[in-house]
């Protein structure tokens, strides 16, 4: 029988190439981001993350620090404020001594109906789900070039592939992110900077539990090929591989972790 594994167990893959790597994760304080921070820290990487959820972020640092080869660093940063993003990323680059890996994970999937979207809400949704991914990449590219390469992982979503209800702006952003990945991968490939999209299915996070009743969760599982709910550690397993040197010839593509949800 297959064992369930988590980033904290001995059953997960170890990537020697991730030891001491300098990693920035956006939205690392909770949900999938928390799982990503935990997984990179467990690999012995130097991890910094940004979030607006300050208490959750500090609690994560406190939880991971005792067993960490490198204690993770967190900074409060609202990624919709590009001046703040630029300043915090410069600060983190200095604190880490460079940047090798960027995980553009932060996002927000608030539901909305077409008739309720105003121009201001359009801007707000695009800023929280799309714009910062480009500007975070722009901020770290010089450091990656100096390091001789790097890896950027942009979080997309299965939602627009399925065409879900009440998410038109979120899904517009998530569709655009796959184009962003392909464009950055082309422009940065000769600098040995790889860029890929992670496309999660429905991942069991505290926030998702807010949207779904047990019946709704059962419907998702029924639409997946595999039984079971996807955990942040399952997403982290894909992210670690794509961030590692084992994926050195993988770029410009979209990698699904969705249990075969159709
Ligand atoms: N959970 C899922 O089922 C699922 C499915 C498909 C795609 N995704 C994508 O995966 C990524 C992570 O999703 P999640 O489910 O963990 O979400 P989440 O809401 O649980 O966590 C997102 C994190 O980003 C932070 N954040 C939000 N806005 C921010 C801002 N303006 N500045 C800085 N930090 C901010 C939040 O505080 C939170 O810690 C997102 O890009 C999401 O779209 C998730």
């Amino acid at each position: 029988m297959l064992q369930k594994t988590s980033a904290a167990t001995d059953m997960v893959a170890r990537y020697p190439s991730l030891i001491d790597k300098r990693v920035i994760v956006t939205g690392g304080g909770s949900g999938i981001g928390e799982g990503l921070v935990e997984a990179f820290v467990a690999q012995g990487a130097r991890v910094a993350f940004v979030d607006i959820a300050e208490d959750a972020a500090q609690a994560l640092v406190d939880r991971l620090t005792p067993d960490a080869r490198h204690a993770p660093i967190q900074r409060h940063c609202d990624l919709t404020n590009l001046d703040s993003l630029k300043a915090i990323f410069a600060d983190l680059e200095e604190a880490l001594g460079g940047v090798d890996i960027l995980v553009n994970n932060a996002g927000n999937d608030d539901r909305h109906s077409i008739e309720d979207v105003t121009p201001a809400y359009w801007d707000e949704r695009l800023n929280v789900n799309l714009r910062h991914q480009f500007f975070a990449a722009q901020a770290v590219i010089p450091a990656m070039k100096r390091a001789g390469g790097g890896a950027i992982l942009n979080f997309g979503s299965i939602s627009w592939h399925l065409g879900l209800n009440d998410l038109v702006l979120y899904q517009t952003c998530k569709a655009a992110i796959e184009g962003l990945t392909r464009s950055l991968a082309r422009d940065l490939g000769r600098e040995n900077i790889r860029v890929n999209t992670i496309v999660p299915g429905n991942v069991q996070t505290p926030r998702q539990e807010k949207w779904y009743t047990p019946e709704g969760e059962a419907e998702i599982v029924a639409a997946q090929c595999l039984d079971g709910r996807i955990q942040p550690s399952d997403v982290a397993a894909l992210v670690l591989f794509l961030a590692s040197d084992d994926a050195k010839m993988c770029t410009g593509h979209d990698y699904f972790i969705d249990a075969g949800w159709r």
Side-chain angles (χ1 to χ4, degrees):
M1 180 158 159
L2 285 176
Q3 299 272 320
K4 277 267 175 212
T5 59
S6 83
T9 73
D10 291 336
M11 297 295 288
V12 298
R14 311 292 305 177
Y15 293 96
S17 64
L18 291 178
I19 295 172
D20 299 336
K21 278 282 159 58
R22 300 154 301 183
V23 184
I24 297 181
V25 178
T26 68
S30 66
I32 295 171
E34 177 176 357
L36 301 175
V37 169
E38 180 170 6
F40 276 111
V41 168
Q43 295 286 331
R46 297 173 203 272
V47 184
F49 66 100
V50 296
D51 209 298
I52 45 174
E54 209 152 355
D55 290 349
Q58 192 51 48
L60 180 59
V61 169
D62 294 344
R63 179 165 73 80
L64 298 180
T65 294
D67 295 327
R69 176 184 173 97
H70 303 289
I73 304 168
Q74 66 96 3
R75 294 281 187 278
H76 182 274
C77 176
D78 180 349
L79 293 159
T80 65
N81 178 334
L82 295 183
D83 291 336
S84 173
L85 184 159
K86 201 171 171 182
I88 299 284
F89 269 60
D91 171 45
L92 290 177
E93 183 185 322
E94 199 181 322
L96 294 171
V99 183
D100 304 298
I101 296 159
L102 167 67
V103 188
N104 271 324
N105 162 76
N108 182 294
D109 63 352
D110 280 356
R111 271 51 175 173
H112 46 268
S113 61
I114 294 169
E115 54 273 20
D116 289 341
V117 174
T118 60
Y121 190 65
W122 167 278
D123 287 345
E124 194 265 335
R125 287 293 90 190
L126 267 72
N127 293 349
V128 79
N129 282 308
L130 175 62
R131 188 175 68 164
H132 62 85
Q133 291 208 6
F134 173 82
F135 285 98
Q138 189 191 56
V140 300
I141 287 165
M144 288 184 175
K145 286 183 178 172
R146 284 196 297 279
I152 299 174
L153 294 163
N154 298 325
F155 266 70
S157 170
I158 195 169
S159 55
W160 74 271
H161 293 273
L162 298 173
L164 301 181
N165 289 112
D166 300 327
L167 281 170
V168 62
L169 301 188
Y170 176 81
Q171 293 181 154
T172 298
C173 293
K174 292 302 187 181
I177 285 163
E178 294 188 16
L180 173 68
T181 288
R182 202 159 289 205
S183 310
L184 292 176
R186 176 59 72 187
D187 283 351
L188 298 170
R190 305 293 169 205
E191 305 283 351
N192 193 32
I193 298 172
R194 300 181 295 105
V195 189
N196 289 295
T197 317
I198 304 292
V199 186
N202 190 270
V203 183
Q204 202 174 30
T205 58
R207 182 175 161 84
Q208 291 307 308
E209 296 293 279
K210 220 173 78 176
W211 305 120
Y212 291 103
T213 58
E215 296 73 35
E217 289 195 281
E219 268 176 42
I220 291 170
V221 173
Q224 295 176 177
C225 297
L226 296 173
D227 280 332
R229 301 283 283 117
I230 304 166
Q231 301 301 313
S233 57
D234 299 318
V235 182
L238 177 61
V239 168
L240 292 180
F241 167 70
L242 287 169
S244 78
D245 290 355
D246 293 48
K248 66 182 187 303
M249 298 310 283
C250 297
T251 198
H253 284 289
D254 313 312
Y255 292 85
F256 286 67
I257 163 80
D258 67 352
W261 188 12
R262 294 287 174 272

